[in-house]
Amino acid sequence: GENVEQHPSTLSVQEGDSAVIKCTYSDSASNYFPWYKQELGKRPQLIIDIRSNVGEKKDQRIAVTLNKTAKHFSLHITETQPEDSAVYFCAASKPQLRNTPLVFGKGTRLSVIA
Amino acid sequence: GAGVSQSPSNKVTEKGKDVELRCDPISGHTALYWYRQSLGQGLEFLIYFQGNSAPDKSGLPSDRFSAERTGGSVSTLTIQRTQQEDSAVYLCASSPPGRSYEQYFGPGTRLTVT
């Protein structure tokens, strides 16, 4: 089955700097890759996703890149702000196979230092 | 509209007791997922439902865990003879028809087994 590895497990950056979180996946059939943000004590919330037919997607300060050949994808946050501090989870799935669950990485705890 | 809701929000139980956790998905969502999140860990898939059936029970950690969904809506996760290692946050998510990749999470139930 699918295995998703996520690095680093913790990341501290100065406010205004960029943060990059990387994930690798094992199943070449996976073609949907969402990123979730979980603030302390709150539920995970989808912040951005990418499908395998594109290599990059951007939404304001957040971007995700995908390298299908290497089976890895990354989350990039630019101009970080204290409110970006949270745990970020990557995931992979094969939605073409009906209702297969998301397989999550173990998460990255991002701390943005003011 | 109303999001995914879960009850109770917190549950403290003694080792050996049974517990029931409830999830109310977003109205009209056909797929429902249960995950477990241990302290500081990632999201561990437990089980999912498509309508009332559970095609994938592979994530249930032991036969003490069971889940059901009736009427294509509310789901209950039951843990029998709870153990201390069952202590975790149990998260439920639901997806709209045809878009299983969009998972909307509930706030979770924090289970503590003493």
Side-chain angles (χ1 to χ4, degrees), chain A residues 32 36 38 43 51 89 99, chain B residues 37 48 50 100-101 105-106:
Chain A
Y32 175 71
Y36 284 80
Q38 187 177 29
R43 72 191 76 187
R51 290 184 170 274
F89 293 97
N99 290 320
Chain B
Q37 187 173 31
Y48 90 87
Q50 172 58 34
S100 63
Y101 46 88
F105 282 85

Side-chain angles (χ1 to χ4, degrees), chain B residues 13-90:
Chain B
T13 190
E14 291 180 354
K15 178 181 173 182
K17 296 286 178 83
D18 298 352
V19 294
E20 276 192 0
L21 312 180
R22 176 187 168 111
C23 172
D24 280 272
I26 294 172
S27 177
H29 281 197
T30 50
L32 184 149
Y33 305 80
W34 283 99
Y35 296 90
R36 179 170 70 175
Q37 187 173 31
S38 301
L39 185 63
Q41 298 297 309
L43 292 150
E44 176 190 5
F45 167 73
L46 298 178
I47 188 171
Y48 90 87
F49 291 89
Q50 172 58 34
N52 291 337
S53 65
D56 188 351
K57 302 180 182 179
S58 62
L60 293 176
S62 77
D63 59 8
R64 296 186 296 104
F65 287 71
S66 62
E68 65 175 17
R69 188 181 187 196
T70 54
S73 182
V74 172
S75 175
T76 55
L77 176 69
T78 301
I79 309 173
Q80 296 178 308
R81 304 182 302 282
T82 52
Q83 304 293 313
Q84 287 187 331
E85 60 263 29
D86 300 334
S87 297
V89 175
Y90 290 82

